[in-house]
Coordinates of all heavy atoms in Angstrom, one line a residue:
M1002 N 97.9 96.0 110.1 CA 97.8 94.7 109.3 C 99.2 94.2 109.2 O 100.2 94.9 108.6 CB 97.1 94.8 108.0 CG 97.0 93.5 107.2 SD 95.9 93.6 105.8 CE 96.9 94.6 104.7
E1003 N 99.5 93.0 109.6 CA 100.9 92.4 109.4 C 100.7 91.3 108.4 O 99.7 90.5 108.2 CB 101.2 91.8 110.7 CG 101.5 92.9 111.9 CD 102.7 93.7 111.6 OE1 103.7 93.2 111.0 OE2 102.5 94.9 111.9
I1004 N 101.9 91.2 107.6 CA 102.0 90.0 106.6 C 101.7 88.8 107.1 O 101.0 87.9 106.5 CB 103.3 90.3 105.7 CG1 103.3 89.3 104.5 CG2 104.4 90.0 106.7 CD1 102.5 89.7 103.4
N1005 N 102.3 88.4 108.3 CA 102.0 87.0 108.9 C 100.6 86.6 109.1 O 100.1 85.6 108.9 CB 103.0 86.9 110.1 CG 104.4 86.8 109.6 OD1 104.8 86.4 108.6 ND2 105.3 87.1 110.5
E1006 N 99.9 87.8 109.6 CA 98.5 87.4 110.0 C 97.7 87.3 108.6 O 96.8 86.5 108.5 CB 98.0 88.7 110.6 CG 96.4 88.8 110.8 CD 95.8 90.2 111.2 OE1 96.6 90.9 111.7 OE2 94.7 90.3 111.0
F1007 N 98.1 88.1 107.6 CA 97.4 88.0 106.3 C 97.7 86.7 105.7 O 96.7 86.0 105.1 CB 98.0 89.1 105.3 CG 97.3 89.1 104.0 CD1 96.0 89.8 103.9 CD2 97.9 88.5 102.9 CE1 95.4 89.9 102.7 CE2 97.2 88.6 101.7 CZ 96.0 89.2 101.5
I1008 N 98.9 86.1 105.8 CA 99.1 84.8 105.3 C 98.4 83.8 106.0 O 97.9 82.8 105.4 CB 100.7 84.5 105.3 CG1 101.4 85.5 104.4 CG2 101.1 83.1 105.1 CD1 102.9 85.5 104.5
Q1009 N 98.3 83.9 107.3 CA 97.4 82.9 108.1 C 96.1 82.8 107.6 O 95.5 81.7 107.3 CB 97.6 83.2 109.5 CG 96.8 82.3 110.5 CD 97.3 80.9 110.5 OE1 98.5 80.7 110.5 NE2 96.4 80.0 110.6
N1010 N 95.4 84.1 107.5 CA 94.0 84.1 107.0 C 94.0 83.6 105.6 O 93.0 82.9 105.3 CB 93.6 85.7 107.0 CG 93.4 86.1 108.5 OD1 93.1 85.3 109.3 ND2 93.5 87.4 108.7
F1011 N 94.9 83.8 104.6 CA 95.0 83.5 103.4 C 95.1 82.0 103.4 O 94.2 81.3 102.7 CB 96.1 84.1 102.7 CG 96.2 83.7 101.1 CD1 95.7 84.7 100.2 CD2 96.8 82.6 100.7 CE1 95.8 84.4 98.9 CE2 96.9 82.2 99.3 CZ 96.4 83.2 98.4
A1012 N 95.8 81.3 104.2 CA 96.1 79.9 104.2 C 94.8 79.2 104.6 O 94.6 78.1 104.3 CB 97.3 79.6 105.1
E1013 N 94.0 79.8 105.4 CA 92.9 79.2 106.1 C 91.8 78.9 105.0 O 90.9 78.1 105.2 CB 92.3 80.0 107.2 CG 93.0 79.9 108.4 CD 92.6 80.9 109.6 OE1 91.5 81.6 109.3 OE2 93.3 80.9 110.6
Q1014 N 91.9 79.6 103.7 CA 91.1 79.3 102.7 C 91.4 78.0 101.9 O 90.5 77.7 101.1 CB 91.1 80.5 101.7 CG 90.9 81.9 102.4 CD 89.7 81.9 103.4 OE1 88.6 81.7 103.0 NE2 90.0 82.3 104.5
F1015 N 92.4 77.4 102.3 CA 92.8 76.2 101.5 C 92.8 75.0 102.5 O 93.3 75.1 103.6 CB 94.2 76.3 101.0 CG 94.3 77.3 99.9 CD1 94.5 78.7 100.3 CD2 94.2 77.0 98.7 CE1 94.6 79.7 99.3 CE2 94.5 78.0 97.7 CZ 94.6 79.3 97.9
D1016 N 92.1 73.9 102.1 CA 91.9 72.7 103.0 C 93.1 71.8 102.9 O 93.4 71.2 103.9 CB 90.6 72.0 102.7 CG 89.3 72.9 102.9 OD1 89.4 73.7 103.9 OD2 88.4 72.7 102.3
E1017 N 93.6 71.6 101.7 CA 94.6 70.5 101.5 C 96.0 71.0 101.4 O 96.9 70.1 101.5 CB 94.2 69.7 100.3 CG 92.8 69.0 100.4 CD 92.3 68.4 99.2 OE1 93.0 68.1 98.4 OE2 91.1 68.2 99.1
T1018 N 96.3 72.2 101.3 CA 97.7 72.7 101.1 C 98.2 72.9 102.5 O 97.7 73.5 103.3 CB 97.6 74.0 100.2 OG1 96.9 73.8 99.1 CG2 99.0 74.4 99.9
D1019 N 99.5 72.4 102.6 CA 100.3 72.4 103.9 C 100.5 74.0 104.1 O 100.9 74.8 103.2 CB 101.5 71.7 103.8 CG 102.3 71.7 105.1 OD1 102.9 72.6 105.4 OD2 102.2 70.6 105.7
I1020 N 100.4 74.3 105.4 CA 100.6 75.8 105.9 C 101.9 76.2 105.5 O 102.1 77.4 105.2 CB 100.3 75.8 107.3 CG1 100.3 77.3 107.8 CG2 101.3 75.1 108.3 CD1 99.1 78.0 107.5
N1021 N 102.9 75.4 105.5 CA 104.3 75.7 105.2 C 104.6 76.1 103.7 O 105.5 76.7 103.4 CB 105.3 74.6 105.5 CG 105.2 74.3 107.0 OD1 105.2 75.4 107.9 ND2 105.3 73.1 107.4
E1022 N 103.5 76.0 102.9 CA 103.6 76.3 101.5 C 103.3 77.9 101.3 O 103.7 78.4 100.3 CB 102.5 75.6 100.6 CG 102.7 74.1 100.5 CD 103.7 73.7 99.6 OE1 103.8 74.5 98.5 OE2 104.4 72.7 99.8
F1023 N 102.7 78.4 102.3 CA 102.4 79.9 102.2 C 103.4 80.9 102.8 O 103.7 80.8 104.0 CB 101.0 80.1 103.0 CG 99.9 79.2 102.5 CD1 99.5 78.1 103.0 CD2 99.3 79.7 101.3 CE1 98.6 77.2 102.4 CE2 98.2 78.9 100.7 CZ 97.9 77.8 101.2
T1024 N 104.1 81.5 102.0 CA 105.1 82.5 102.4 C 104.7 83.8 101.6 O 104.0 83.7 100.6 CB 106.5 82.1 102.0 OG1 106.6 82.0 100.6 CG2 106.8 80.8 102.7
P1025 N 105.3 84.9 101.9 CA 105.1 86.2 101.1 C 105.4 85.9 99.7 O 104.7 86.5 98.8 CB 106.1 87.1 101.7 CG 106.2 86.7 103.2 CD 106.1 85.2 103.0
E1026 N 106.3 85.1 99.4 CA 106.8 84.8 97.9 C 106.0 83.8 97.3 O 106.3 83.6 96.0 CB 108.4 84.4 97.9 CG 109.2 85.6 98.4 CD 109.3 85.6 100.0 OE1 109.1 84.4 100.5 OE2 109.6 86.6 100.5
T1027 N 105.0 83.1 97.9 CA 104.2 82.1 97.2 C 103.5 82.6 96.1 O 102.8 83.7 96.2 CB 103.2 81.5 98.2 OG1 104.1 80.9 99.3 CG2 102.4 80.4 97.5
V1028 N 103.6 82.1 94.8 CA 102.8 82.4 93.7 C 101.6 81.6 93.9 O 101.4 80.4 93.5 CB 103.6 82.1 92.4 CG1 102.8 82.4 91.2 CG2 105.0 82.8 92.3
F1029 N 100.5 82.2 94.3 CA 99.4 81.5 94.8 C 98.5 81.0 93.6 O 97.9 80.0 93.7 CB 98.5 82.3 95.7 CG 97.9 83.6 95.1 CD1 96.7 83.7 94.5 CD2 98.6 84.8 95.2 CE1 96.2 84.8 94.0 CE2 98.1 86.0 94.8 CZ 96.9 86.0 94.2
H1030 N 98.8 81.5 92.4 CA 97.9 81.1 91.3 C 98.5 79.6 90.9 O 97.9 78.9 90.1 CB 98.1 82.0 90.1 CG 97.6 83.3 90.2 ND1 96.2 83.6 90.1 CD2 98.1 84.6 90.6 CE1 95.9 84.9 90.2 NE2 97.0 85.5 90.6
D1031 N 99.8 79.4 91.3 CA 100.4 78.1 90.9 C 100.0 77.0 91.9 O 100.4 75.8 91.7 CB 101.9 78.2 90.8 CG 102.3 79.0 89.7 OD1 101.5 79.3 88.7 OD2 103.5 79.4 89.6
L1032 N 99.3 77.3 93.0 CA 99.0 76.3 94.0 C 98.0 75.3 93.4 O 97.0 75.7 92.7 CB 98.5 76.9 95.2 CG 99.3 77.8 96.1 CD1 98.5 78.5 97.2 CD2 100.5 76.9 96.7
E1033 N 98.2 74.0 93.7 CA 97.4 73.0 93.0 C 95.8 73.2 93.5 O 95.0 72.9 92.7 CB 97.8 71.7 93.6 CG 97.2 70.5 92.8 CD 97.7 69.2 93.1 OE1 99.0 69.0 93.3 OE2 96.9 68.2 93.4
E1034 N 95.6 73.7 94.7 CA 94.3 73.8 95.2 C 93.7 75.1 94.8 O 92.5 75.3 94.9 CB 94.3 73.7 96.7 CG 93.1 73.3 97.3 CD 93.2 73.3 98.9 OE1 94.2 73.3 99.4 OE2 92.1 73.2 99.5
Y1035 N 94.4 76.1 94.2 CA 93.9 77.4 93.8 C 92.9 77.2 92.6 O 93.2 76.5 91.6 CB 95.0 78.4 93.3 CG 94.5 79.7 93.0 CD1 94.1 80.6 94.1 CD2 94.3 80.1 91.8 CE1 93.7 81.9 93.9 CE2 93.9 81.4 91.5 CZ 93.5 82.3 92.6 OH 93.0 83.5 92.3
S1036 N 91.7 77.8 92.7 CA 90.8 77.8 91.6 C 89.9 79.0 91.7 O 90.1 79.9 92.6 CB 89.8 76.6 91.9 OG 89.1 76.8 93.1
S1037 N 89.0 79.2 90.8 CA 88.1 80.3 91.0 C 87.3 80.4 92.2 O 87.0 81.4 92.8 CB 87.2 80.4 89.7 OG 86.4 79.3 89.6
L1038 N 87.0 79.2 92.8 CA 86.2 79.1 94.0 C 87.2 79.6 95.1 O 86.7 80.3 96.1 CB 85.7 77.7 94.2 CG 84.9 77.5 95.6 CD1 83.6 78.4 95.5 CD2 84.4 76.0 95.7
A1039 N 88.4 79.2 95.1 CA 89.3 79.6 96.2 C 89.5 81.2 96.0 O 89.6 81.8 97.1 CB 90.8 78.9 95.9
A1040 N 89.5 81.7 94.9 CA 89.6 83.2 94.7 C 88.5 83.8 95.2 O 88.7 84.9 96.0 CB 89.8 83.5 93.2
L1041 N 87.3 83.3 95.0 CA 86.1 83.9 95.7 C 86.2 83.9 97.2 O 85.7 84.9 97.9 CB 84.9 83.3 95.2 CG 84.4 83.5 93.8 CD1 83.3 82.6 93.3 CD2 84.2 85.0 93.5
S1042 N 86.7 82.8 97.7 CA 86.9 82.6 99.3 C 87.8 83.7 99.7 O 87.7 84.3 100.7 CB 87.4 81.2 99.6 OG 86.4 80.3 99.2
I1043 N 88.9 83.9 99.0 CA 90.0 84.8 99.4 C 89.4 86.3 99.3 O 89.6 87.0 100.3 CB 91.2 84.8 98.6 CG1 91.9 83.4 98.8 CG2 92.1 85.9 98.8 CD1 92.8 83.0 97.6
I1044 N 88.7 86.6 98.3 CA 88.0 87.9 98.2 C 87.1 88.1 99.4 O 87.0 89.2 100.0 CB 87.3 88.1 96.9 CG1 88.3 88.2 95.7 CG2 86.4 89.2 96.8 CD1 87.8 88.2 94.4
A1045 N 86.3 87.2 99.7 CA 85.3 87.2 100.9 C 86.0 87.4 102.2 O 85.5 88.2 103.0 CB 84.4 86.0 101.0
M1046 N 87.1 86.7 102.3 CA 87.9 86.7 103.6 C 88.5 88.1 103.7 O 88.3 88.7 104.7 CB 89.0 85.7 103.7 CG 90.0 85.7 104.8 SD 91.3 87.0 104.6 CE 92.3 86.3 103.3
I1047 N 88.9 88.6 102.7 CA 89.5 90.0 102.7 C 88.5 91.0 102.9 O 88.7 91.9 103.8 CB 90.3 90.4 101.4 CG1 91.6 89.5 101.3 CG2 90.6 91.9 101.2 CD1 92.3 89.5 100.0
N1048 N 87.3 90.9 102.5 CA 86.2 91.9 102.6 C 85.9 91.8 104.2 O 85.6 92.8 104.8 CB 85.1 91.5 101.9 CG 83.9 92.5 101.8 OD1 83.4 92.7 102.9 ND2 83.6 93.1 100.7
E1049 N 85.8 90.5 104.7 CA 85.2 90.4 106.1 C 86.3 90.7 107.0 O 86.0 91.4 108.1 CB 84.9 88.8 106.3 CG 84.3 88.6 107.7 CD 83.9 87.1 107.8 OE1 83.2 86.7 106.9 OE2 84.3 86.5 108.8
E1050 N 87.6 90.4 106.8 CA 88.6 90.7 107.9 C 89.1 92.0 107.8 O 89.5 92.6 108.8 CB 89.8 89.6 107.7 CG 89.5 88.2 107.9 CD 89.2 87.9 109.4 OE1 89.9 88.5 110.3 OE2 88.4 87.1 109.7
Y1051 N 89.3 92.7 106.6 CA 89.9 94.0 106.4 C 89.1 95.0 105.8 O 89.5 96.1 105.6 CB 91.1 93.7 105.4 CG 92.1 92.6 106.0 CD1 92.1 91.3 105.4 CD2 92.9 92.9 107.0 CE1 92.9 90.3 105.8 CE2 93.8 91.9 107.5 CZ 93.8 90.6 106.9 OH 94.6 89.7 107.4
D1052 N 87.7 94.6 105.6 CA 86.8 95.6 105.0 C 87.4 96.2 103.7 O 87.2 97.4 103.7 CB 86.5 96.8 106.1 CG 85.3 97.3 105.9 OD1 84.3 96.8 105.2 OD2 85.0 98.6 106.2
V1053 N 87.8 95.5 103.0 CA 88.4 96.0 101.6 C 87.7 95.0 100.5 O 87.6 93.9 100.6 CB 89.9 95.7 101.5 CG1 90.5 96.0 100.1 CG2 90.6 96.6 102.5
T1054 N 87.1 95.8 99.5 CA 86.5 95.0 98.4 C 87.5 94.9 97.3 O 88.0 96.0 96.8 CB 85.3 95.8 97.9 OG1 84.4 95.9 99.1 CG2 84.5 95.1 96.9
L1055 N 87.9 93.7 96.9 CA 88.7 93.4 95.8 C 87.9 93.1 94.5 O 86.8 92.5 94.7 CB 89.7 92.3 96.1 CG 90.8 92.5 97.2 CD1 91.6 91.3 97.2 CD2 91.6 93.7 96.8
K1056 N 88.4 93.2 93.4 CA 87.8 92.8 92.2 C 88.7 91.8 91.5 O 89.8 91.4 91.9 CB 87.8 94.1 91.1 CG 87.0 95.2 91.6 CD 86.9 96.3 90.7 CE 86.1 97.5 91.3 NZ 86.5 98.7 90.9
G1057 N 88.1 91.0 90.6 CA 88.8 90.1 89.9 C 90.1 90.5 89.3 O 91.1 89.8 89.3
D1058 N 90.1 91.7 88.8 CA 91.4 92.3 88.2 C 92.4 92.5 89.4 O 93.7 92.2 89.0 CB 91.1 93.7 87.7 CG 90.2 93.6 86.4 OD1 90.1 92.6 85.9 OD2 89.8 94.7 86.1
D1059 N 92.1 92.7 90.6 CA 93.1 92.8 91.7 C 93.7 91.4 91.9 O 94.9 91.3 92.1 CB 92.4 93.2 93.0 CG 91.9 94.6 92.9 OD1 92.6 95.5 92.2 OD2 90.8 95.0 93.4
M1060 N 92.9 90.4 91.9 CA 93.4 89.0 92.1 C 94.4 88.6 90.9 O 95.4 88.0 91.1 CB 92.3 88.0 92.1 CG 91.4 88.1 93.4 SD 92.3 87.8 94.9 CE 92.5 86.1 94.8
S1061 N 94.0 89.0 89.7 CA 94.8 88.7 88.6 C 96.1 89.5 88.5 O 97.0 89.0 88.1 CB 94.1 89.0 87.2 OG 92.9 88.3 87.2
A1062 N 96.1 90.7 89.0 CA 97.3 91.5 89.0 C 98.2 91.1 90.1 O 99.5 91.3 89.9 CB 96.9 93.0 89.3
A1063 N 97.8 90.4 91.1 CA 98.7 90.0 92.2 C 99.3 88.6 91.7 O 98.6 87.8 91.3 CB 98.0 89.8 93.4
V1064 N 100.7 88.5 91.9 CA 101.4 87.3 91.5 C 101.6 86.5 92.9 O 101.3 85.3 92.9 CB 102.7 87.6 90.7 CG1 103.5 86.3 90.5 CG2 102.4 88.2 89.4
T1065 N 102.2 87.2 93.8 CA 102.5 86.5 95.1 C 101.4 86.9 96.2 O 100.7 87.8 96.0 CB 103.9 86.9 95.6 OG1 103.9 88.3 95.9 CG2 104.9 86.5 94.5
I1066 N 101.6 86.2 97.3 CA 100.7 86.6 98.5 C 101.1 87.9 98.9 O 100.2 88.8 99.2 CB 100.9 85.6 99.5 CG1 100.3 84.2 99.1 CG2 100.2 86.1 100.8 CD1 100.4 83.1 100.1
E1067 N 102.4 88.3 98.8 CA 102.7 89.7 99.3 C 102.2 90.7 98.3 O 101.9 91.8 98.8 CB 104.2 89.7 99.3 CG 104.8 91.0 99.8 CD 106.3 91.1 100.1 OE1 107.0 90.3 99.5 OE2 106.8 91.9 100.9
D1068 N 102.1 90.4 97.0 CA 101.6 91.4 96.1 C 100.1 91.7 96.5 O 99.6 92.8 96.5 CB 101.6 90.9 94.6 CG 102.8 90.7 94.1 OD1 103.8 91.4 94.5 OD2 103.0 90.0 93.1
L1069 N 99.5 90.6 96.9 CA 97.9 90.7 97.3 C 97.9 91.5 98.5 O 97.0 92.3 98.6 CB 97.3 89.4 97.3 CG 95.7 89.3 97.5 CD1 95.1 90.0 96.3 CD2 95.3 87.9 97.7
F1070 N 98.7 91.2 99.4 CA 98.8 91.9 100.7 C 99.0 93.4 100.5 O 98.3 94.2 101.1 CB 100.0 91.3 101.5 CG 100.3 92.3 102.8 CD1 99.5 92.1 103.9 CD2 101.4 93.0 102.8 CE1 99.9 92.8 105.1 CE2 101.8 93.7 104.0 CZ 100.9 93.6 105.1
N1071 N 99.9 93.8 99.6 CA 100.1 95.2 99.3 C 98.9 95.8 98.6 O 98.7 97.0 98.9 CB 101.5 95.3 98.4 CG 102.6 95.0 99.2 OD1 102.7 95.2 100.4 ND2 103.6 94.5 98.6
I1072 N 98.2 95.1 97.7 CA 97.0 95.7 97.2 C 96.0 96.0 98.2 O 95.4 97.0 98.3 CB 96.5 94.7 96.0 CG1 97.3 94.7 94.8 CG2 95.0 95.1 95.7 CD1 97.1 93.5 93.9
V1073 N 95.8 95.0 99.1 CA 94.8 95.1 100.2 C 95.2 96.3 101.1 O 94.4 97.2 101.4 CB 94.6 93.8 101.1 CG1 93.8 94.1 102.3 CG2 94.0 92.8 100.2
K1074 N 96.4 96.4 101.4 CA 97.0 97.5 102.2 C 96.8 98.8 101.7 O 96.4 99.8 102.4 CB 98.4 97.2 102.6 CG 99.0 98.0 103.8 CD 100.3 97.4 104.1 CE 100.9 98.2 105.3 NZ 102.2 97.8 105.8
S1075 N 96.9 99.0 100.3 CA 96.7 100.3 99.7 C 95.3 100.6 99.7 O 95.0 101.8 99.3 CB 97.3 100.1 98.3 OG 96.5 99.4 97.4
K1076 N 94.3 99.7 99.8 CA 92.9 100.0 99.7 C 92.3 100.3 101.1 O 91.2 100.6 101.2 CB 92.2 99.0 99.0 CG 92.5 98.8 97.6 CD 91.7 97.7 96.9 CE 92.1 97.6 95.5 NZ 90.9 98.1 94.6
M1077 N 93.2 100.2 102.2 CA 92.7 100.4 103.5 C 92.6 101.9 103.9 O 93.3 102.6 103.4 CB 93.5 99.6 104.5 CG 93.3 98.2 104.4 SD 94.4 97.3 105.5 CE 93.3 97.1 106.9

């Protein structure tokens, strides 16, 4: 699993946010489009793409996209 692929999959969960907004350092909780529905979409995408089950606590613990990537990677 590569960070760039993860970011691409992550970004696909957002309809209105420009792709250039998504970097490893992006604080995704601060994105205007981020909501509990977006969080559920991200959790579903991670389950489907990486066969990893995340909990709400995992989403809360991650600050940046890279943090989330590292959590997913640690559960693989």
Side-chain angles (χ1 to χ4, degrees):
M1002 178 172 73
E1003 295 292 324
I1004 186 82
N1005 291 332
E1006 173 196 340
F1007 184 81
I1008 291 170
Q1009 178 68 36
N1010 289 332
F1011 186 97
E1013 288 174 1
Q1014 308 312 305
F1015 295 83
D1016 295 328
E1017 299 173 16
T1018 307
D1019 187 281
I1020 188 78
N1021 296 320
E1022 294 282 324
F1023 299 97
T1024 68
E1026 295 82 28
T1027 299
V1028 179
F1029 62 91
H1030 296 277
D1031 290 346
L1032 294 170
E1033 189 174 320
E1034 200 178 348
Y1035 185 78
S1036 65
S1037 57
L1038 186 58
L1041 290 174
S1042 294
I1043 293 163
I1044 290 170
M1046 175 276 294
I1047 289 169
N1048 188 302
E1049 186 176 309
E1050 294 290 327
Y1051 304 104
D1052 198 30
V1053 170
T1054 302
L1055 289 185
K1056 297 179 180 152
D1058 291 346
D1059 295 320
M1060 292 296 288
S1061 298
V1064 175
T1065 65
I1066 295 175
E1067 186 172 23
D1068 292 341
L1069 190 59
F1070 170 80
N1071 288 331
I1072 290 170
V1073 171
K1074 200 170 180 179
S1075 74
K1076 292 179 178 255
M1077 291 180 84

